[in-house]
């Protein structure tokens, strides 16, 4: 039903009279189209993206070319999914944005019980030192454990750390670069688990051990694999974007050690950096260049900046502002808010696209918040069109990434675990992705499965499997999951 609704909405925008102008307003509509045309890509463009990504992923997997590769293809040392025998209480930490979660997860086979609490990461800590950040994390763990009467109980822990890391073992991961607005000094180039254990030791009143550090994509995959053994890809489409997938171990030249285990390993692609070498300049618009220029990591994470929630609202704002400055929107009248970077939130994009086209009640309320007055129906329809173009491009570029992985894995049936606020809350993102993946990966049977709390449940599952296997191997450290 959502797909039909989407197509109906797009049909409203193919001719100038459909956005409120008369049939004689072709010249005005052409001016609109000239501004927005760069946001519309062809299937050939998306196929080129698929092939370019495939080439860059092969570079990342190979030891000889990994240093120069933009997609780093980090080994995760996770080599098995849960077998259903895992049981016990586990802590999970989830750090991937301004919210930090601590979770208590009880596993009994397929039965999973979870309790969690969200703690804010203040901006001064996001931009402070690593000691401040991990002391804050340790303090949050203490508060959570005390509230749940777990003091004195030794708890295995899984840590979802959703930033680019190079792993040297299941519980050894070095941060390569901060993203998503974090810039804590003294963390890049350091082992995340060691920093966590040092903060725990400074407190002296916690008995927790981190058995595994994972990316949120691995969590999404593991969470879905707990109930669907066909799950072989994990995708995050939220504040940021990333993907992991199951690769044949013989192709993972960057993996260290030679531990026994299944002939596969989950790979954390870090695909957000795809395009940092300029290979995606052919789809880059002036709006994308402005977003990149004013970001805290200019020139980096270029693919992520096309598709993730952290940037989508700003791309829309820039396009709306260009239309306004050309006298094509809001009668040319702006506001302080619309002129302010970052003020047009990505949630507005979802709300505008999901609005009732007969009343545009929500759309008008949003622009009222932004102090744009006297918004006409024509303005609402054009604003909706801009939102649709930006979100559709994001969904289709995400689909190109999924299609690349499907082509690379050469499996007949694949479940893709997907998590993230953009995928969850945008009214048409799922349908758009299903539509375009079918075009870009013909002949592959796939489904997109919403991952339920992969960053929490998934981290606990990896820790649980690690705990089980470690006991089976006589407490041998860093046994692959």
């Amino acid at each position: 039903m959502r797909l039909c609704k989407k197509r109906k909405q797009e049909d409203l925008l193919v001719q100038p009279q459909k956005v409120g102008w008369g049939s004689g307003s072709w010249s005005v509509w052409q001016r609109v189209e000239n501004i927005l045309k760069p946001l519309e890509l062809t299937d050939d463009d998306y196929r080129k993206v698929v092939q370019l990504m495939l080439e860059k992923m092969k570079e990342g997997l190979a030891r000889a070319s990994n240093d120069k590769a933009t997609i780093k293809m980090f080994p995760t040392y996770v080599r098995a999914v849960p077998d259903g025998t895992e049981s016990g209480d586990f802590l999970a930490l989830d750090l991937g944005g301004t919210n930090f979660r601590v979770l208590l997860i009880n596993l009994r086979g397929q039965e999973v019980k979870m309790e969690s609490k969200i703690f804010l990461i203040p901006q001064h800590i996001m931009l402070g030192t690593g000691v401040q950040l991990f002391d804050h994390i340790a303090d949050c763990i203490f508060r959570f454990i005390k509230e749940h009467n777990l003091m004195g109980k030794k708890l295995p822990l899984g840590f979802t750390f959703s930033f680019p890391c190079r792993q040297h073992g299941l519980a050894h991961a070095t941060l390569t670069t901060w993203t998503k607005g974090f810039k804590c000094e003294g963390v890049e180039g350091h082992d995340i688990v060691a920093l966590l254990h040092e903060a725990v030791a400074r407190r002296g009143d916690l008995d927790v051990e981190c058995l595994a550090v994972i990316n949120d994509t691995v969590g999404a995959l593991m969470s879905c694999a707990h109930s669907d053994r066909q799950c072989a890809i994990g995708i995050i489409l939220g504040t940021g974007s990333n993907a992991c997938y199951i690769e044949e171990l013989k192709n993972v030249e960057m993996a260290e050690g030679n531990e026994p285990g299944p002939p596969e390993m989950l790979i954390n692609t870090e695909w957000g950096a795809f395009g940092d070498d300029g290979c995606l300049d052919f789809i880059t618009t002036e709006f994308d260049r402005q977003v990149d220029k004013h970001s805290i990591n200019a020139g980096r994470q270029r693919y992520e900046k096309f598709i993730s929630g952290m940037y989508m609202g700003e791309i829309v704002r820039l396009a709306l502002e260009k239309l306004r400055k050309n006298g094509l929107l809001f009668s040319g009248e702006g506001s302080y808010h619309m002129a302010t970077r970052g003020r047009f939130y990505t949630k507005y994009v979802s709300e505008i696209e999901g609005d009732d086209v007969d009343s545009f009640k929500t759309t008008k309320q949003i622009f009222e918040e932004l102090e744009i007055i006297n918004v006409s129906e024509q303005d609402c329809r054009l604003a909706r069109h801009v939102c649709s173009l930006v979100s559709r491009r994001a969904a289709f570029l995400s689909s190109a990434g999924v299609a690349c992985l499907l082509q690379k894995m050469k499996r007949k049936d694949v479940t893709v675990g997907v998590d993230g606020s953009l995928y969850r809350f945008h009214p048409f993102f799922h349908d758009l992705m299903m539509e375009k993946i079918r075009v870009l990966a013909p002949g592959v049977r796939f489904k997109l499965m919403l991952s339920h709390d992969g960053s929490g449940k998934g981290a606990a599952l990896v820790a649980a499997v690690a705990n089980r296997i470690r006991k089976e191997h006589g407490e041998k450290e860093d046994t692959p999951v």
Side-chain angles (χ1 to χ4, degrees), residues 215-237 241-246 271 402 405-406 409 414-420 423-424 430 433 437 446-455:
N215 191 277
D216 50 0
T217 58
V218 175
L221 190 156
M222 291 291 282
S223 179
C224 291
H226 191 235
S227 57
D228 185 342
R229 293 302 176 90
Q230 296 297 324
C231 188
I233 296 175
I235 304 290
I236 299 299
L237 294 167
S241 181
N242 193 16
C244 74
Y245 74 107
I246 298 175
W271 75 7
V402 174
L405 293 176
L406 291 174
M409 294 168 64
V414 180
T415 296
V416 182
V418 192
D419 202 355
Y423 179 82
R424 284 176 177 270
H430 170 87
M433 287 187 67
I437 294 170
F446 71 93
K447 67 178 179 180
L448 302 181
M449 179 181 183
L450 181 62
S451 175
H452 294 286
D453 202 12
S455 295

Short mmCIF file of all heavy atoms in Angstrom, two decimals, residues 215-237 241-246 271 402 405-406 409 414-420 423-424 430 433 437 446-455:
data_model
loop_
_atom_site.label_atom_id
_atom_site.label_comp_id
_atom_site.label_asym_id
_atom_site.label_seq_id
_atom_site.Cartn_x
_atom_site.Cartn_y
_atom_site.Cartn_z
N ASN A 215 30.31 -3.37 15.61
CA ASN A 215 29.65 -2.25 14.97
C ASN A 215 28.15 -2.49 14.98
O ASN A 215 27.69 -3.63 15.05
CB ASN A 215 30.17 -2.13 13.53
CG ASN A 215 29.75 -0.85 12.87
OD1 ASN A 215 28.64 -0.76 12.36
ND2 ASN A 215 30.61 0.14 12.88
N ASP A 216 27.37 -1.41 14.89
CA ASP A 216 25.91 -1.58 14.92
C ASP A 216 25.40 -2.41 13.74
O ASP A 216 24.35 -3.06 13.84
CB ASP A 216 25.19 -0.23 14.97
CG ASP A 216 25.65 0.76 13.91
OD1 ASP A 216 26.55 0.42 13.12
OD2 ASP A 216 25.13 1.88 13.89
N THR A 217 26.14 -2.43 12.63
CA THR A 217 25.72 -3.27 11.51
C THR A 217 25.79 -4.75 11.87
O THR A 217 24.92 -5.54 11.51
CB THR A 217 26.59 -3.00 10.26
OG1 THR A 217 27.95 -3.25 10.58
CG2 THR A 217 26.44 -1.59 9.78
N VAL A 218 26.86 -5.13 12.59
CA VAL A 218 26.99 -6.51 13.05
C VAL A 218 25.85 -6.84 14.01
O VAL A 218 25.28 -7.93 13.97
CB VAL A 218 28.36 -6.74 13.72
CG1 VAL A 218 28.44 -8.14 14.31
CG2 VAL A 218 29.49 -6.51 12.73
N GLY A 219 25.51 -5.88 14.87
CA GLY A 219 24.40 -6.09 15.78
C GLY A 219 23.10 -6.32 15.04
O GLY A 219 22.31 -7.20 15.40
N ALA A 220 22.87 -5.53 14.00
CA ALA A 220 21.64 -5.69 13.21
C ALA A 220 21.59 -7.06 12.57
O ALA A 220 20.55 -7.74 12.57
CB ALA A 220 21.56 -4.60 12.14
N LEU A 221 22.72 -7.51 12.01
CA LEU A 221 22.77 -8.82 11.39
C LEU A 221 22.54 -9.93 12.41
O LEU A 221 21.73 -10.84 12.20
CB LEU A 221 24.12 -9.01 10.68
CG LEU A 221 24.27 -10.24 9.77
CD1 LEU A 221 25.36 -9.99 8.73
CD2 LEU A 221 24.58 -11.51 10.52
N MET A 222 23.25 -9.86 13.54
CA MET A 222 23.15 -10.91 14.55
C MET A 222 21.75 -10.98 15.14
O MET A 222 21.22 -12.06 15.41
CB MET A 222 24.18 -10.67 15.65
CG MET A 222 25.61 -10.88 15.21
SD MET A 222 26.03 -12.60 14.84
CE MET A 222 26.25 -13.25 16.49
N SER A 223 21.15 -9.82 15.35
CA SER A 223 19.80 -9.79 15.92
C SER A 223 18.80 -10.49 14.99
O SER A 223 17.96 -11.28 15.44
CB SER A 223 19.37 -8.35 16.17
OG SER A 223 18.06 -8.29 16.69
N CYS A 224 18.91 -10.21 13.71
CA CYS A 224 18.01 -10.86 12.74
C CYS A 224 18.35 -12.33 12.56
O CYS A 224 17.45 -13.17 12.41
CB CYS A 224 18.07 -10.13 11.40
SG CYS A 224 17.33 -8.48 11.43
N ALA A 225 19.65 -12.67 12.59
CA ALA A 225 20.07 -14.05 12.41
C ALA A 225 19.62 -14.94 13.56
O ALA A 225 19.52 -16.16 13.41
CB ALA A 225 21.59 -14.13 12.26
N HIS A 226 19.32 -14.33 14.70
CA HIS A 226 18.83 -15.09 15.85
C HIS A 226 17.52 -15.79 15.51
O HIS A 226 17.21 -16.86 16.05
CB HIS A 226 18.64 -14.14 17.04
CG HIS A 226 18.39 -14.83 18.34
ND1 HIS A 226 17.30 -14.56 19.13
CD2 HIS A 226 19.09 -15.79 18.99
CE1 HIS A 226 17.35 -15.31 20.21
NE2 HIS A 226 18.42 -16.06 20.15
N SER A 227 16.73 -15.19 14.60
CA SER A 227 15.45 -15.78 14.21
C SER A 227 15.39 -16.18 12.73
O SER A 227 14.49 -16.91 12.32
CB SER A 227 14.29 -14.83 14.51
OG SER A 227 14.49 -13.58 13.86
N ASP A 228 16.35 -15.69 11.93
CA ASP A 228 16.36 -15.99 10.49
C ASP A 228 17.78 -16.31 10.05
O ASP A 228 18.61 -15.41 9.88
CB ASP A 228 15.80 -14.80 9.71
CG ASP A 228 15.67 -15.07 8.21
OD1 ASP A 228 16.29 -16.02 7.71
OD2 ASP A 228 14.93 -14.32 7.54
N ARG A 229 18.08 -17.59 9.85
CA ARG A 229 19.44 -18.01 9.53
C ARG A 229 19.88 -17.60 8.13
O ARG A 229 21.04 -17.77 7.76
CB ARG A 229 19.57 -19.53 9.69
CG ARG A 229 19.43 -20.01 11.15
CD ARG A 229 20.49 -19.36 12.03
NE ARG A 229 20.34 -19.72 13.43
CZ ARG A 229 20.93 -20.76 14.01
NH1 ARG A 229 21.69 -21.57 13.29
NH2 ARG A 229 20.75 -21.01 15.29
N GLN A 230 18.96 -17.07 7.30
CA GLN A 230 19.33 -16.57 5.98
C GLN A 230 19.91 -15.16 6.03
O GLN A 230 20.37 -14.63 5.02
CB GLN A 230 18.12 -16.57 5.04
CG GLN A 230 17.55 -17.95 4.74
CD GLN A 230 18.54 -18.84 4.00
OE1 GLN A 230 19.32 -18.38 3.18
NE2 GLN A 230 18.52 -20.12 4.33
N CYS A 231 19.89 -14.55 7.21
CA CYS A 231 20.38 -13.18 7.32
C CYS A 231 21.89 -13.17 7.15
O CYS A 231 22.62 -13.78 7.93
CB CYS A 231 19.99 -12.56 8.66
SG CYS A 231 20.37 -10.80 8.74
N ALA A 232 22.36 -12.45 6.14
CA ALA A 232 23.79 -12.42 5.82
C ALA A 232 24.31 -11.01 5.57
O ALA A 232 25.48 -10.82 5.26
CB ALA A 232 24.07 -13.30 4.61
N ILE A 233 23.42 -10.02 5.69
CA ILE A 233 23.80 -8.61 5.52
C ILE A 233 23.15 -7.81 6.64
O ILE A 233 21.99 -8.06 6.99
CB ILE A 233 23.34 -8.06 4.16
CG1 ILE A 233 24.04 -8.78 3.01
CG2 ILE A 233 23.61 -6.55 4.06
CD1 ILE A 233 23.53 -8.36 1.63
N GLY A 234 23.88 -6.87 7.18
CA GLY A 234 23.33 -5.94 8.16
C GLY A 234 23.55 -4.52 7.68
O GLY A 234 24.66 -4.17 7.26
N ILE A 235 22.50 -3.70 7.71
CA ILE A 235 22.58 -2.33 7.20
C ILE A 235 22.08 -1.36 8.27
O ILE A 235 21.10 -1.64 8.97
CB ILE A 235 21.67 -2.14 5.95
CG1 ILE A 235 22.03 -3.15 4.87
CG2 ILE A 235 21.77 -0.71 5.41
CD1 ILE A 235 23.35 -2.91 4.21
N ILE A 236 22.75 -0.24 8.39
CA ILE A 236 22.28 0.84 9.24
C ILE A 236 21.94 2.04 8.36
O ILE A 236 22.75 2.48 7.54
CB ILE A 236 23.34 1.27 10.27
CG1 ILE A 236 23.68 0.09 11.20
CG2 ILE A 236 22.84 2.46 11.09
CD1 ILE A 236 22.52 -0.44 12.02
N LEU A 237 20.72 2.53 8.51
CA LEU A 237 20.26 3.73 7.81
C LEU A 237 19.63 4.65 8.84
O LEU A 237 18.42 4.63 9.07
CB LEU A 237 19.25 3.36 6.72
CG LEU A 237 19.80 2.52 5.56
CD1 LEU A 237 18.68 1.95 4.72
CD2 LEU A 237 20.74 3.37 4.71
N SER A 241 25.42 5.81 8.16
CA SER A 241 25.09 4.63 7.36
C SER A 241 26.31 3.74 7.22
O SER A 241 27.44 4.23 7.06
CB SER A 241 24.59 5.01 5.96
OG SER A 241 24.26 3.86 5.22
N ASN A 242 26.07 2.43 7.32
CA ASN A 242 27.15 1.46 7.18
C ASN A 242 26.53 0.11 6.87
O ASN A 242 25.31 -0.05 6.93
CB ASN A 242 27.98 1.40 8.47
CG ASN A 242 29.28 0.65 8.28
OD1 ASN A 242 29.74 0.42 7.16
ND2 ASN A 242 29.89 0.25 9.39
N ALA A 243 27.37 -0.86 6.54
CA ALA A 243 26.89 -2.21 6.23
C ALA A 243 27.94 -3.24 6.61
O ALA A 243 29.14 -2.96 6.59
CB ALA A 243 26.56 -2.32 4.73
N CYS A 244 27.46 -4.43 6.95
CA CYS A 244 28.34 -5.57 7.12
C CYS A 244 27.74 -6.75 6.37
O CYS A 244 26.55 -6.74 6.03
CB CYS A 244 28.56 -5.92 8.59
SG CYS A 244 27.14 -6.70 9.38
N TYR A 245 28.53 -7.75 6.10
CA TYR A 245 28.05 -8.93 5.39
C TYR A 245 28.98 -10.09 5.68
O TYR A 245 30.07 -9.92 6.24
CB TYR A 245 27.98 -8.66 3.88
CG TYR A 245 29.33 -8.64 3.21
CD1 TYR A 245 29.75 -9.70 2.39
CD2 TYR A 245 30.22 -7.58 3.41
CE1 TYR A 245 30.99 -9.70 1.78
CE2 TYR A 245 31.46 -7.57 2.80
CZ TYR A 245 31.84 -8.63 1.99
OH TYR A 245 33.08 -8.62 1.40
N ILE A 246 28.54 -11.29 5.31
CA ILE A 246 29.34 -12.49 5.53
C ILE A 246 30.20 -12.74 4.29
O ILE A 246 29.70 -12.91 3.18
CB ILE A 246 28.45 -13.71 5.82
CG1 ILE A 246 27.63 -13.47 7.10
CG2 ILE A 246 29.29 -14.97 5.96
CD1 ILE A 246 26.63 -14.56 7.40
N TRP A 271 31.25 1.48 4.57
CA TRP A 271 30.98 2.00 3.23
C TRP A 271 30.69 3.49 3.21
O TRP A 271 30.62 4.09 2.14
CB TRP A 271 29.90 1.19 2.54
CG TRP A 271 28.46 1.38 2.97
CD1 TRP A 271 27.95 2.31 3.84
CD2 TRP A 271 27.33 0.62 2.49
NE1 TRP A 271 26.58 2.17 3.95
CE2 TRP A 271 26.18 1.14 3.14
CE3 TRP A 271 27.19 -0.43 1.60
CZ2 TRP A 271 24.91 0.64 2.91
CZ3 TRP A 271 25.91 -0.92 1.38
CH2 TRP A 271 24.79 -0.39 2.03
N VAL A 402 23.29 -2.25 -1.26
CA VAL A 402 22.78 -3.59 -0.99
C VAL A 402 22.97 -4.48 -2.22
O VAL A 402 23.40 -5.63 -2.12
CB VAL A 402 21.30 -3.55 -0.58
CG1 VAL A 402 20.73 -4.96 -0.43
CG2 VAL A 402 21.12 -2.78 0.73
N LEU A 405 26.47 -5.79 -2.51
CA LEU A 405 26.75 -6.91 -1.60
C LEU A 405 26.08 -8.19 -2.08
O LEU A 405 26.66 -9.28 -1.99
CB LEU A 405 26.31 -6.56 -0.19
CG LEU A 405 27.09 -5.43 0.49
CD1 LEU A 405 26.50 -5.11 1.86
CD2 LEU A 405 28.57 -5.81 0.63
N LEU A 406 24.86 -8.08 -2.57
CA LEU A 406 24.16 -9.27 -3.09
C LEU A 406 24.92 -9.87 -4.27
O LEU A 406 25.06 -11.09 -4.38
CB LEU A 406 22.73 -8.90 -3.51
CG LEU A 406 21.77 -8.54 -2.38
CD1 LEU A 406 20.44 -8.05 -2.95
CD2 LEU A 406 21.54 -9.73 -1.45
N MET A 409 28.21 -11.58 -2.90
CA MET A 409 28.06 -12.82 -2.13
C MET A 409 27.60 -13.99 -2.99
O MET A 409 27.85 -15.15 -2.65
CB MET A 409 27.07 -12.58 -0.99
CG MET A 409 27.58 -11.60 0.05
SD MET A 409 26.28 -11.08 1.17
CE MET A 409 25.88 -12.60 1.96
N VAL A 414 18.85 -14.24 0.43
CA VAL A 414 19.51 -13.45 1.45
C VAL A 414 18.49 -12.58 2.18
O VAL A 414 17.66 -11.92 1.55
CB VAL A 414 20.60 -12.53 0.85
CG1 VAL A 414 21.27 -11.70 1.94
CG2 VAL A 414 21.64 -13.34 0.09
N THR A 415 18.57 -12.63 3.49
CA THR A 415 17.81 -11.68 4.31
C THR A 415 18.75 -10.55 4.71
O THR A 415 19.89 -10.80 5.11
CB THR A 415 17.25 -12.36 5.57
OG1 THR A 415 16.30 -13.36 5.17
CG2 THR A 415 16.54 -11.35 6.47
N VAL A 416 18.29 -9.33 4.56
CA VAL A 416 19.06 -8.13 4.91
C VAL A 416 18.46 -7.54 6.17
O VAL A 416 17.31 -7.09 6.17
CB VAL A 416 19.03 -7.09 3.77
CG1 VAL A 416 19.88 -5.87 4.14
CG2 VAL A 416 19.51 -7.71 2.46
N GLY A 417 19.21 -7.55 7.26
CA GLY A 417 18.76 -6.93 8.49
C GLY A 417 19.01 -5.44 8.43
O GLY A 417 20.14 -5.01 8.16
N VAL A 418 17.98 -4.64 8.68
CA VAL A 418 18.11 -3.19 8.56
C VAL A 418 17.66 -2.52 9.85
O VAL A 418 16.61 -2.86 10.42
CB VAL A 418 17.26 -2.64 7.39
CG1 VAL A 418 17.64 -1.19 7.11
CG2 VAL A 418 17.43 -3.48 6.14
N ASP A 419 18.45 -1.58 10.30
CA ASP A 419 18.11 -0.79 11.47
C ASP A 419 18.43 0.67 11.20
O ASP A 419 19.13 1.00 10.24
CB ASP A 419 18.87 -1.28 12.70
CG ASP A 419 18.19 -0.89 14.02
OD1 ASP A 419 17.17 -0.15 13.97
OD2 ASP A 419 18.67 -1.32 15.08
N GLY A 420 17.92 1.55 12.03
CA GLY A 420 18.20 2.97 11.89
C GLY A 420 16.93 3.79 11.75
O GLY A 420 15.94 3.34 11.17
N TYR A 423 15.33 4.51 8.13
CA TYR A 423 14.59 3.37 7.57
C TYR A 423 13.29 3.13 8.35
O TYR A 423 12.25 2.83 7.76
CB TYR A 423 15.46 2.12 7.62
CG TYR A 423 14.79 0.87 7.09
CD1 TYR A 423 14.73 0.62 5.72
CD2 TYR A 423 14.22 -0.06 7.96
CE1 TYR A 423 14.12 -0.54 5.23
CE2 TYR A 423 13.61 -1.21 7.47
CZ TYR A 423 13.57 -1.44 6.12
OH TYR A 423 12.96 -2.58 5.64
N ARG A 424 13.34 3.29 9.66
CA ARG A 424 12.17 3.02 10.50
C ARG A 424 11.05 4.03 10.29
O ARG A 424 9.88 3.69 10.27
CB ARG A 424 12.57 3.03 11.98
CG ARG A 424 13.31 1.79 12.44
CD ARG A 424 13.74 1.93 13.90
NE ARG A 424 14.38 0.71 14.37
CZ ARG A 424 13.74 -0.29 14.94
NH1 ARG A 424 12.43 -0.23 15.11
NH2 ARG A 424 14.38 -1.38 15.34
N HIS A 430 11.48 1.91 2.80
CA HIS A 430 11.48 0.46 2.58
C HIS A 430 11.01 0.12 1.17
O HIS A 430 11.66 -0.66 0.45
CB HIS A 430 10.59 -0.22 3.62
CG HIS A 430 10.33 -1.67 3.33
ND1 HIS A 430 11.18 -2.67 3.75
CD2 HIS A 430 9.32 -2.28 2.65
CE1 HIS A 430 10.70 -3.84 3.34
NE2 HIS A 430 9.57 -3.64 2.68
N MET A 433 13.47 1.09 -1.56
CA MET A 433 14.63 0.19 -1.61
C MET A 433 14.26 -1.13 -2.26
O MET A 433 15.01 -1.65 -3.09
CB MET A 433 15.18 -0.03 -0.20
CG MET A 433 15.91 1.17 0.37
SD MET A 433 16.72 0.81 1.95
CE MET A 433 17.98 -0.35 1.42
N ILE A 437 16.33 -2.32 -5.54
CA ILE A 437 17.21 -3.49 -5.42
C ILE A 437 16.83 -4.53 -6.47
O ILE A 437 17.69 -5.19 -7.06
CB ILE A 437 17.15 -4.08 -4.00
CG1 ILE A 437 17.74 -3.10 -2.98
CG2 ILE A 437 17.93 -5.40 -3.94
CD1 ILE A 437 17.52 -3.50 -1.54
N PHE A 446 15.57 -11.86 -2.12
CA PHE A 446 16.01 -11.16 -0.91
C PHE A 446 14.80 -10.61 -0.19
O PHE A 446 13.71 -10.47 -0.75
CB PHE A 446 16.95 -10.01 -1.27
CG PHE A 446 16.26 -8.85 -1.94
CD1 PHE A 446 15.79 -7.77 -1.19
CD2 PHE A 446 16.02 -8.85 -3.31
CE1 PHE A 446 15.12 -6.72 -1.80
CE2 PHE A 446 15.36 -7.81 -3.92
CZ PHE A 446 14.90 -6.74 -3.17
N LYS A 447 15.01 -10.27 1.07
CA LYS A 447 13.99 -9.53 1.81
C LYS A 447 14.70 -8.59 2.78
O LYS A 447 15.83 -8.86 3.22
CB LYS A 447 13.04 -10.45 2.55
CG LYS A 447 13.63 -11.26 3.68
CD LYS A 447 12.54 -12.10 4.36
CE LYS A 447 13.10 -12.93 5.49
NZ LYS A 447 12.06 -13.75 6.17
N LEU A 448 14.07 -7.47 3.05
CA LEU A 448 14.57 -6.52 4.02
C LEU A 448 13.82 -6.76 5.33
O LEU A 448 12.59 -6.69 5.37
CB LEU A 448 14.34 -5.08 3.55
CG LEU A 448 14.97 -4.69 2.21
CD1 LEU A 448 14.67 -3.22 1.90
CD2 LEU A 448 16.47 -4.94 2.20
N MET A 449 14.55 -7.04 6.38
CA MET A 449 13.97 -7.38 7.68
C MET A 449 14.37 -6.33 8.70
O MET A 449 15.55 -6.05 8.90
CB MET A 449 14.48 -8.76 8.12
CG MET A 449 13.98 -9.23 9.46
SD MET A 449 14.70 -10.87 9.84
CE MET A 449 13.90 -11.22 11.40
N LEU A 450 13.38 -5.73 9.33
CA LEU A 450 13.67 -4.73 10.36
C LEU A 450 14.33 -5.41 11.55
O LEU A 450 13.81 -6.38 12.10
CB LEU A 450 12.38 -4.03 10.80
CG LEU A 450 12.55 -2.94 11.87
CD1 LEU A 450 13.41 -1.80 11.35
CD2 LEU A 450 11.17 -2.41 12.29
N SER A 451 15.49 -4.91 11.91
CA SER A 451 16.23 -5.46 13.05
C SER A 451 15.70 -4.83 14.33
O SER A 451 15.69 -3.60 14.47
CB SER A 451 17.73 -5.16 12.90
OG SER A 451 18.43 -5.58 14.05
N HIS A 452 15.26 -5.67 15.23
CA HIS A 452 14.72 -5.17 16.49
C HIS A 452 15.84 -5.07 17.52
O HIS A 452 16.34 -6.07 18.03
CB HIS A 452 13.60 -6.08 16.99
CG HIS A 452 12.40 -6.07 16.10
ND1 HIS A 452 11.52 -5.01 16.06
CD2 HIS A 452 11.95 -6.97 15.19
CE1 HIS A 452 10.56 -5.26 15.17
NE2 HIS A 452 10.80 -6.44 14.62
N ASP A 453 16.26 -3.85 17.76
CA ASP A 453 17.28 -3.54 18.75
C ASP A 453 18.57 -4.32 18.53
O ASP A 453 19.10 -4.94 19.44
CB ASP A 453 16.74 -3.79 20.16
CG ASP A 453 17.52 -2.99 21.20
OD1 ASP A 453 18.30 -2.10 20.81
OD2 ASP A 453 17.38 -3.28 22.39
N GLY A 454 19.06 -4.26 17.30
CA GLY A 454 20.30 -4.95 17.00
C GLY A 454 21.48 -4.44 17.78
O GLY A 454 22.36 -5.21 18.17
N SER A 455 21.52 -3.13 18.02
CA SER A 455 22.67 -2.57 18.72
C SER A 455 22.75 -3.05 20.16
O SER A 455 23.84 -3.10 20.74
CB SER A 455 22.59 -1.03 18.70
OG SER A 455 22.71 -0.56 17.39
#
